[in-house]
């Protein structure tokens, strides 16, 4: 099984100049907590709902502050053609809960998350990897 078979395809991208409030509003509307951040076609980072709370809100950031100041730089990405087992192993070994998924041209085409894996994958090693990631 390939990552493209289980990933979320409806990926929302943030841009470096987007405000933290605008990104938080998109997360709330879409009911998701992770957005890759791209400058043009180049992935430069990702932001989570936790980043918004711990890095921005706790630091007293203004709602109009640019999201680029609060992103996680160089997130681990996987390819849509990667084998499920290798991605599960990577996520478990690095304690990654979500990762942007790129195509062979480097374009972000999806996101893989613990939620995707727990609801769409039935293999035994998926459960083992999920347990390891959640520790």
């Amino acid at each position: 099984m390939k990552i493209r078979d289980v990933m979320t395809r409806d990926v929302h991208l943030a841009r470096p100049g987007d405000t933290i409030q605008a990104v938080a509003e998109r997360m709330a509307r879409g009911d998701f907590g992770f957005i890759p951040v791209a400058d043009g076609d180049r992935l430069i980072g990702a932001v989570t709902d936790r980043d918004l709370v711990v890095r921005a809100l706790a630091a007293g950031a203004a709602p109009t502050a640019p999201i680029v100041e609060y992103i996680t730089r160089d997130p681990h990405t996987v390819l849509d053609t990667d084998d499920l087992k290798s991605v599960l192993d990577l996520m478990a070994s690095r304690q990654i809960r979500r990762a942007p998924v790129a195509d062979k041209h480097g374009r972000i085409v999806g996101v893989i998350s613990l939620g995707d894996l727990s609801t769409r994958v039935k293999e035994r090693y998926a459960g083992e990897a999920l347990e390891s990631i959640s520790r």
Side-chain angles (χ1 to χ4, degrees), residues 1-3 79-88 125:
M1 184 176 285
K2 302 293 181 190
I3 287 301
L79 292 174
D80 61 347
T81 56
D82 284 346
D83 181 66
L84 178 63
K85 173 94 170 87
S86 65
V87 172
L88 287 169
Y125 58 80

Side-chain angles (χ1 to χ4, degrees), residues 103-118:
D103 67 10
K104 65 183 178 182
H105 303 290
R107 291 185 302 253
I108 301 302
V109 294
V111 170
I112 189 71
S113 70
L114 285 180
D116 296 328
L117 298 171
S118 67

Side-chain angles (χ1 to χ4, degrees), residues 4 19 21 43 48 55 57-58 62 75 78 85 106 117 127 131:
R4 69 174 162 252
T19 67
Q21 182 173 10
L43 181 71
T48 65
R55 292 183 183 173
L57 184 61
V78 298
K85 173 94 170 87
L117 298 171
E131 182 178 332

Side-chain angles (χ1 to χ4, degrees), residues 1-133:
M1 184 176 285
K2 302 293 181 190
I3 287 301
R4 69 174 162 252
D5 299 323
V6 295
M7 70 183 189
T8 296
R9 293 178 183 277
D10 184 24
V11 64
H12 295 254
L13 294 176
R15 301 296 174 193
D18 290 350
T19 67
I20 58 176
Q21 182 173 10
V23 171
E25 287 172 351
R26 287 193 359 215
M27 286 180 172
R29 267 194 318 273
D31 193 29
F32 49 84
F34 177 88
I35 298 181
V37 180
D39 189 3
D41 285 340
R42 188 175 62 89
L43 181 71
I44 61 168
V47 66
T48 65
D49 46 5
R50 186 174 193 280
D51 291 331
L52 292 177
V53 172
V54 174
R55 292 183 183 173
L57 184 61
T64 56
I67 197 66
V68 72
E69 296 177 20
Y70 303 99
I71 66 173
T72 298
R73 299 256 177 203
D74 302 318
H76 293 283
T77 60
V78 298
L79 292 174
D80 61 347
T81 56
D82 284 346
D83 181 66
L84 178 63
K85 173 94 170 87
S86 65
V87 172
L88 287 169
D89 290 344
L90 171 78
M91 291 176 81
S93 69
R94 302 218 177 162
Q95 298 287 292
I96 299 169
R97 295 176 181 273
R98 294 169 281 216
V101 180
D103 67 10
K104 65 183 178 182
H105 303 290
R107 291 185 302 253
I108 301 302
V109 294
V111 170
I112 189 71
S113 70
L114 285 180
D116 296 328
L117 298 171
S118 67
T119 60
R120 299 179 186 154
V121 177
K122 302 295 184 216
E123 285 97 5
R124 180 180 60 90
Y125 58 80
E128 293 168 2
L130 292 172
E131 182 178 332
S132 178
I133 295 165

